[in-house]
Amino acid sequence: QVQLVESGGGLVQPGGSLRLSCTASGGINSVTYMAWHRQTPGKQRNLVATINRGGDTVYADSVKGRFTISRDNAKNTVYLQMNSLKPEDTAVYYCNLYGYSGSVLANYWGQGTQVTVNS
C-alpha cells in the first residue's frame, strides 16, 4: 500500500545542479526518517543523506557541502538538491522511508531515478 514516487533525474554536465523529489503515499502512521541512497551496477547501495522527523540531517562525506536534503511534511515529500555535480555522482538514486505502517516498522523504497553527470 505504501508507495514512494521519485522524479527529477536526468543528464547534467559536471558542475551543474539537479533536484530530486520523492513523494510518499499510503498507510504510513509514523516516519522515523527519510533518506536518499545511490547505486551503480555491480556496486553496493550507499547512503547519500538522511533527514529525521525533527529535520536533523546526515550526509555522506562524498557529498557534504554539495548536496542538501530537505522535506515538506505537509506534502509528505523529501528533496535532494545536488550542486557542483561530479561524474562520480552518476548512479541510480533511491528514496527510502523508514517508518510504521500500522504496527509494522519497515523500510520502503522508491523506484529509482537515473542521474548521469557527463560532459
Side-chain angles (χ1 to χ4, degrees):
Q1 197 71 27
V2 176
Q3 188 175 45
L4 306 181
V5 178
E6 304 178 30
S7 64
L11 175 65
V12 66
Q13 295 183 358
S17 297
L18 213 58
R19 190 177 79 155
L20 308 182
S21 65
C22 172
T23 299
S25 63
I28 295 295
N29 304 110
S30 180
V31 175
T32 301
Y33 67 81
M34 297 186 74
W36 290 95
H37 297 243
R38 64 187 183 186
Q39 186 173 25
T40 56
K43 297 184 178 180
Q44 65 185 13
R45 186 174 296 183
N46 294 319
L47 177 69
V48 176
T50 67
I51 184 166
N52 68 13
R53 291 177 296 178
D56 298 324
T57 58
V58 176
Y59 297 93
D61 288 341
S62 59
V63 306
K64 195 172 298 182
R66 300 187 298 118
F67 290 12
T68 302
I69 188 170
S70 61
R71 58 172 169 79
D72 186 332
N73 289 335
K75 297 180 179 180
N76 208 15
T77 298
V78 63
Y79 303 94
L80 186 68
Q81 178 67 47
M82 304 182 292
N83 298 325
S84 301
L85 283 162
K86 305 174 180 180
E88 307 91 89
D89 297 318
T90 296
V92 177
Y93 284 70
Y94 294 92
C95 177
N96 169 234
L97 184 155
Y98 186 62
Y100 287 91
S101 180
S103 298
V104 178
L105 180 63
N107 278 304
Y108 300 92
W109 294 93
Q111 82 280 7
T113 185
Q114 177 70 46
V115 172
T116 302
V117 185
N118 198 325
S119 60

